[in-house]
Amino acid sequence: MLKKRIIPCLDIKDGTTVKGINFEGLRNAGDPIELAKKYEKQGADELVFLDITATIEERKTFAQLVKKIAGELSIPFTVGGGISSVEDVRKLLEAGADKISVNSSAVKNPQLIYDLSKEFGNQCVVVAIDTKWVDSCDWVHIKGGREITGLKTLEWAKEAESLGAGEILLTSMDGDGTKNGFDIRITKLISENLTIPVIASGGAGKTEDFTEVFNKTSATGALAASVFHFEEIHIQDLKQELKHQNIEIR
């Protein structure tokens, strides 16, 4: 069994870390490099760095910022936002990213997942899925959650795996930023129907939420943002509590 991972997420807009609720109402959460260094010191297993407006504004993630982050960190980190080609990924990996995350571009062009996996290995290809419960079904959303697709979440997750995704980053838009806990239902459904690792995202508000998602689903990672950014949960304390609950962590 894979050991569980605690993964802070840094949503980046105009070079600054931001956080919202249900993908809206963004507020400043600090300097991404300083936050990244702090999380590494606290014991984070990995980091995720998402340029959240890259797709909407049709521009590329800044490789320069990735290079700066890589120069400050020794833990693995994933980069996403505006990635749509093998060349985009090559630049980001050369800048120091360990993994890349694709979302909207993979939905529009599923072949991209296969191409990236073949070129760089599936271990560095993370497919991010933003999912929302609409009309009694889980639907995939793209463009930072602004656009609903005709893809059902479980079907798309299975397709992504078959095309070569090495990991799924599953964000419940219903839970995002609410601090009401991870969406156990959708996380359980996806994580138990795939063989690749699934990272739960959206809704973390307290230590017990992490315990619950690891005990009730097959997720191998739990991602959060605001509870770490605003120091409501300290990663070191969280990991001690998980150990106390006999949850195997990295």
Side-chain angles (χ1 to χ4, degrees), residues 151-168:
L151 292 171
K152 291 182 178 177
T153 305
L154 180 58
E155 289 175 9
W156 173 234
K158 286 180 173 179
E159 185 180 352
E161 178 179 35
S162 70
L163 285 166
E167 193 163 33
I168 298 293

Side-chain angles (χ1 to χ4, degrees), residues 74-86:
S74 59
I75 59 173
F77 73 99
T78 300
V79 177
I83 296 169
S84 57
S85 69
V86 167

Side-chain angles (χ1 to χ4, degrees), residues 4 183-184 187-188 191-192 212-219:
K4 309 301 187 185
D183 190 329
I184 300 300
T187 305
K188 184 177 171 70
S191 63
E192 292 183 357
E212 182 184 41
V213 79
F214 288 142
N215 280 330
K216 293 186 176 178
T217 79
S218 298

